[in-house]
Amino acid sequence: MQIMNKQQLITRVAKTTGYSQKEVGPVISAALDGIIQAVSAGYKVRLTGFGVFEQRVRQEREGVNPRTKERIKIASVRVPIFRPGGEFKSALRANDK
C-alpha cells in the first residue's frame, strides 16, 4: 500500500486544476481544518459522493493490563468516523476489475 501525504495531495490537485501549489495549499488546509472543527463540535460533515465525517462515543469498557493481567476500566472516548459515499465505493470497486 502506498501512502499519499498532504503535500502530494496539494501537488495532484494543483496539476488537475491548473492552479499553483501556493494557491491550492491554503485551500486544502482550510478544508481539512473546517472538517476537523465541525466534527469536533458535533456536526456531521457530508460531502455528497465522497462520504460522511462524524464523531462517535466509544463506551467505557473493561480491559486487561497486558503486563500485570490486572483488570482496568478504559474510559469512554470520542472518536472520528468516516463512512465512504457511493462514488467513493464505486471507484474502489472499479479498480478490482
Side-chain angles (χ1 to χ4, degrees):
M1 173 183 282
Q2 296 180 345
I3 297 175
M4 176 183 280
N5 64 29
K6 187 174 175 182
Q7 185 56 50
Q8 291 167 326
L9 176 62
I10 290 169
T11 301
R12 180 172 282 183
V13 171
K15 283 182 184 176
T16 302
T17 62
Y19 290 101
S20 72
Q21 290 182 31
K22 283 187 175 186
E23 293 170 313
V24 170
V27 174
I28 297 286
S29 292
L32 295 175
D33 289 344
I35 291 169
I36 290 168
Q37 290 173 3
V39 172
S40 295
Y43 289 92
K44 283 186 184 180
V45 178
R46 184 182 321 260
L47 304 173
T48 304
F50 183 73
V52 178
F53 297 90
E54 62 184 311
Q55 66 170 271
R56 292 210 181 130
V57 176
R58 190 177 302 153
Q59 295 299 319
E60 181 179 283
R61 63 192 195 279
E62 198 171 277
V64 177
N65 181 330
R67 283 194 182 145
T68 65
K69 308 297 184 210
E70 175 186 356
R71 291 224 170 268
I72 57 173
K73 281 192 178 181
I74 301 170
S76 67
V77 62
R78 295 184 311 155
V79 294
I81 301 293
F82 173 73
R83 291 179 299 142
E87 290 177 34
F88 196 147
K89 289 178 186 177
S90 295
L92 290 177
R93 290 185 192 121
N95 288 333
D96 287 342
K97 296 177 183 177

